Amino acid sequence: MHAKVIQLRKPGPALGLQPASVMLAPPAPHAMTVRHTAVGVNFVDVYHRTGLYPVPAFPAVLGVEGVGVVEALGSDVRGFVVGQRVAWAGLIDGAPGGYASHRNIPAERAIALPDALDDDTVAATLVRGITAHMLLTRVRQVQPGDTVLVHAAAGGLGALLVQWAKRLGTRVIGAVGNEAKAAVALAHGADHVVLYRQRDMREAVLQLTGGEGVDYVIDGVGGPMLHTAMAVTRPFGMVASIGQAGDVENAQTQTVELAALGPSRSIALARPGVFRYMADLSRYRDGAQAALQRMLEGLRVPLGGTYPLEDAAAAHAALEAGHTTGALLLRP
């Protein structure tokens, strides 16, 4: 069968994302063919597109999560039926591939979906939910009473982290770029917001914490903001550096001197990767089930926009320019 895809022939700007048609082979014995109904757009897709995070080969199809309906099953697949709704997340054989009308995935990576959750909710939340589970339970075991600083708190991941951290009994400070995004962060439960373009970030956070700093910073902005994150972390606290949305063109991970962490500061710096986390099948499935449970409890990533699959380049341009809140979806 033929599948519609969005291909990238070389690293570069968003306009390099172009529609194409490819032949999709029947599923292998332990795989299934999924017809996508919604595909999530994540900032890691921008990293893949620009070459900051290399993809295995070109032409490449980006996208690290999708939701859809099973259209065909390999001969050895058990526990799924044609017509069933499923989702998947992560890299398959080391590669993305979600910007497509149909995709073959290993059956072990398929997540059966409860009827109570619609496709858009899952497509907007699954990767972010697994990431939140990793950050709040594995990278650091967040405790009631902790103070957590979330950068980009109005983005898709940021808004989910705010909600999830509040469910764990923490005090949450959200960092945002403008008043509209401040309203989004507050609506999702942030106790305080800091508009970092209007006020010195370090000064604001230290004032909110009585000069002590926060227990945990989750920073996906990078660049100078990473050093600010370390400056507002209290002794024996932690910074999780999970991206560099503010420094996409820098192909090298920002260097941090060991002396900046301690011993006088006594803080920890983590650089966790959700794809490495999901590479372990048990962690992947645990994280996915935790994310689905949080969705069933009402946690939501706000939907910031839906684009036809063919308009993936426009979705990337909006995301990269910082013009969006919440999650973006592609509709095949």
Side-chain angles (χ1 to χ4, degrees), residues 11-24:
L15 289 176
L17 296 168
Q18 294 294 322
S21 178
V22 299
M23 182 63 71
L24 188 67

Side-chain angles (χ1 to χ4, degrees), residues 275-314:
F275 300 126
R276 184 66 186 87
Y277 188 72
M278 289 192 286
D280 179 280
L281 187 60
S282 63
R283 286 198 299 255
Y284 168 68
R285 301 196 72 85
D286 286 348
Q289 292 305 318
L292 292 178
Q293 182 58 41
R294 288 300 191 190
M295 292 182 230
L296 290 169
E297 293 170 0
L299 270 68
R300 291 290 186 272
V301 174
L303 190 56
T306 302
Y307 295 75
L309 181 66
E310 295 80 3
D311 290 343

Side-chain angles (χ1 to χ4, degrees), residues 29-242:
H30 293 281
M32 64 176 66
T33 301
V34 176
R35 174 178 57 82
H36 286 147
T37 57
V39 174
V41 178
N42 294 273
F43 212 95
V44 71
D45 302 345
V46 175
Y47 298 154
H48 284 147
R49 195 201 76 227
T50 61
L52 182 67
Y53 294 176
V55 295
F58 292 99
V61 176
L62 306 185
V64 295
E65 65 182 328
V67 174
V69 177
V70 177
E71 287 216 334
L73 295 169
S75 58
D76 294 335
V77 175
R78 302 291 183 268
F80 292 94
V81 297
V82 171
Q84 185 173 1
R85 296 169 59 240
V86 298
W88 61 270
L91 304 176
I92 294 177
D93 295 328
Y99 292 5
S101 62
H102 299 73
R103 189 184 191 191
N104 290 334
I105 64 169
E108 65 183 9
R109 308 296 294 187
I111 305 295
L113 298 182
D115 292 340
L117 296 176
D118 63 84
D119 293 2
D120 286 3
T121 294
V122 178
T125 310
L126 187 57
V127 165
R128 295 174 176 92
I130 297 171
T131 304
H133 179 261
M134 173 190 75
L135 289 168
L136 298 175
T137 68
R138 181 65 179 257
V139 177
R140 185 176 177 91
Q141 190 77 40
V142 172
Q143 301 294 325
D146 284 351
T147 299
V148 180
L149 171 60
V150 177
H151 287 170
L157 175 59
L160 184 63
L161 283 167
V162 169
Q163 297 170 76
W164 200 313
K166 287 300 297 179
R167 292 290 181 100
L168 296 175
T170 71
R171 177 192 185 200
V172 178
I173 302 172
V176 296
N178 57 50
E179 294 284 357
K181 292 186 176 184
V184 171
L186 289 168
H188 286 85
D191 296 285
H192 309 278
V193 293
V194 176
L195 280 74
Y196 60 82
R197 292 193 177 102
Q198 299 181 19
R199 189 174 178 193
D200 180 81
M201 186 76 180
R202 180 179 182 277
E203 175 186 298
V205 173
L206 291 178
Q207 183 177 46
L208 286 169
T209 58
E212 294 185 359
V214 301
D215 297 285
Y216 191 22
V217 184
I218 300 173
D219 170 39
V221 177
M225 193 64 81
L226 177 58
H227 289 283
T228 301
M230 294 190 295
V232 299
T233 302
R234 67 177 63 190
F236 300 99
M238 174 181 280
V239 177
S241 171
I242 58 170

Side-chain angles (χ1 to χ4, degrees), residues 305-325:
T306 302
Y307 295 75
L309 181 66
E310 295 80 3
D311 290 343
H316 270 237
L319 182 63
E320 200 169 4
H323 294 161
T324 65
T325 59

